[in-house]
Amino acid sequence: PWDYGDWRYLYTDADARDAARTLRERGFFGGGFGHTHRRHALAFDTTETAPLALGDGWELPEDPSRTLVVDPGSIGQPRHTDGRSTYLRLEREGGQVRGKLVSVRYDVTAHVRALREAGLSAATSAKLCRYFEPSP
């Protein structure tokens, strides 16, 4: 949401709060962001106190006192603790906003095997595979 060249990632609630403030100042109801591979859906009110965590599905009235900040997660390289790959479905209609973080199911074992067989460096392969394999 920031000026060209400011490519900050939204890793923390404070980052998301700053994004919400900028979106609100620019007249937007919300924004969808990515690249962190960590899904979240947050609603900030104008007091900018603790955000409301929206979970995997929500329906809210469009309200100028509320700003949404959403990261849909990732298909293929999720970075959240449950390892689910997700994408965002978002609808605006009749003054309502409906959002859903949709899980994508696939053969994780085959995915890890393909990563290991891809010819990546051992360090890169291990780093990618750890997102899909439980910790020992």
Side-chain angles (χ1 to χ4, degrees):
W2 302 288
D3 291 332
Y4 182 81
D6 185 347
W7 310 120
R8 280 180 276 169
Y9 294 159
L10 305 182
Y11 285 122
T12 67
D13 284 358
D15 298 333
R17 183 177 297 109
D18 189 36
R21 183 179 308 120
T22 301
L23 288 165
R24 189 176 311 110
E25 289 168 357
R26 293 182 178 196
F28 293 103
F29 173 72
F33 304 92
H35 204 75
T36 66
H37 299 252
R38 292 163 177 88
R39 75 176 174 279
H40 63 259
L42 304 171
F44 291 88
D45 65 19
T46 54
T47 64
E48 297 183 1
T49 56
L52 172 63
L54 299 174
D56 283 352
W58 66 92
E59 183 168 348
L60 298 169
E62 287 193 40
D63 179 343
S65 70
R66 179 184 299 121
T67 307
L68 301 181
V69 176
V70 181
D71 185 329
S74 174
I75 302 285
Q77 291 188 28
R79 304 287 196 268
H80 14 273
T81 56
D82 64 13
R84 288 187 302 142
S85 289
T86 53
Y87 68 91
L88 173 65
R89 184 178 302 148
L90 190 65
E91 299 173 350
R92 293 176 69 192
E93 181 180 11
Q96 294 289 111
V97 176
R98 286 181 295 283
K100 183 165 178 69
L101 294 167
V102 182
S103 291
V104 176
R105 303 206 190 287
Y106 59 96
D107 186 340
V108 175
T109 302
H111 181 68
V112 169
R113 185 173 49 252
L115 285 170
R116 294 197 188 287
E117 295 171 357
L120 303 168
S121 72
T124 299
S125 178
K127 183 173 185 174
L128 292 174
C129 289
R130 77 177 172 158
Y131 295 116
F132 304 97
E133 298 175 320
S135 301

